[in-house]
Amino acid sequence: MQRPVSQSAPQQAPPQTIIVQAAPSDREAIKEVETEREPDKPVKKPVKNTGNTNATIVGQPGSKNIRSGPGTVYDSKHIAYPGDRVRVLERSIDSGGYTWYKVYFPESGADGWIAGQLLSID
């Protein structure tokens, strides 16, 4: 009795390994930046007016909340640091009489509201 001749299966290419390197999240990038500077030392960033900006974030070193609306009752949706350049889009006064500015960050495309005392308009 003859054995059936087996046909070899067509050869497949060896599996490929694809390595995807993900960019760090904003929070990881912020933590990395925060660990690189010494606490209680002012952050000095060069201030350059690119023509797309008309104000600078000011205040003590550290992050500043950029909110979804004009007041502390609104959620923080971004953060900014003293020296960041922005474009003022709108102005509003909250129920407590505080001035808030809607600002746009040309470098990142982010926007939101910041308390007036944290902004120096050119």
Side-chain angles (χ1 to χ4, degrees), residues 42-92:
V43 177
K44 294 182 182 176
K45 289 185 179 181
V47 176
K48 62 178 181 177
N49 190 340
T50 63
N52 293 329
T53 61
N54 60 4
T56 304
I57 306 294
V58 297
Q60 294 296 314
S63 62
K64 311 299 175 217
N65 290 323
I66 305 300
R67 298 185 176 274
S68 60
T72 56
V73 296
Y74 293 91
D75 290 336
S76 176
K77 62 186 231 178
H78 306 291
I79 59 170
Y81 291 93
D84 287 351
R85 295 288 297 169
V86 296
R87 184 177 348 144
V88 174
L89 303 175
E90 293 179 46
R91 185 182 132 204
S92 181

Side-chain angles (χ1 to χ4, degrees), residues 1-108:
M1 185 171 200
Q2 289 188 345
R3 293 182 134 186
V5 177
S6 64
Q7 295 180 347
S8 60
Q11 288 196 342
Q12 295 179 355
Q16 294 180 348
T17 303
I18 299 173
I19 299 172
V20 178
Q21 185 173 11
S25 73
D26 289 340
R27 285 193 175 133
E28 289 170 340
I30 291 164
K31 286 178 187 174
E32 183 176 310
V33 169
E34 288 176 345
T35 58
E36 289 178 5
R37 37 180 185 189
E38 295 180 40
D40 301 326
K41 288 205 174 185
V43 177
K44 294 182 182 176
K45 289 185 179 181
V47 176
K48 62 178 181 177
N49 190 340
T50 63
N52 293 329
T53 61
N54 60 4
T56 304
I57 306 294
V58 297
Q60 294 296 314
S63 62
K64 311 299 175 217
N65 290 323
I66 305 300
R67 298 185 176 274
S68 60
T72 56
V73 296
Y74 293 91
D75 290 336
S76 176
K77 62 186 231 178
H78 306 291
I79 59 170
Y81 291 93
D84 287 351
R85 295 288 297 169
V86 296
R87 184 177 348 144
V88 174
L89 303 175
E90 293 179 46
R91 185 182 132 204
S92 181
I93 310 260
D94 69 11
S95 60
Y98 293 98
T99 302
W100 290 80
Y101 291 95
K102 185 170 187 179
V103 295
Y104 171 74
F105 293 80
E107 288 187 20
S108 68

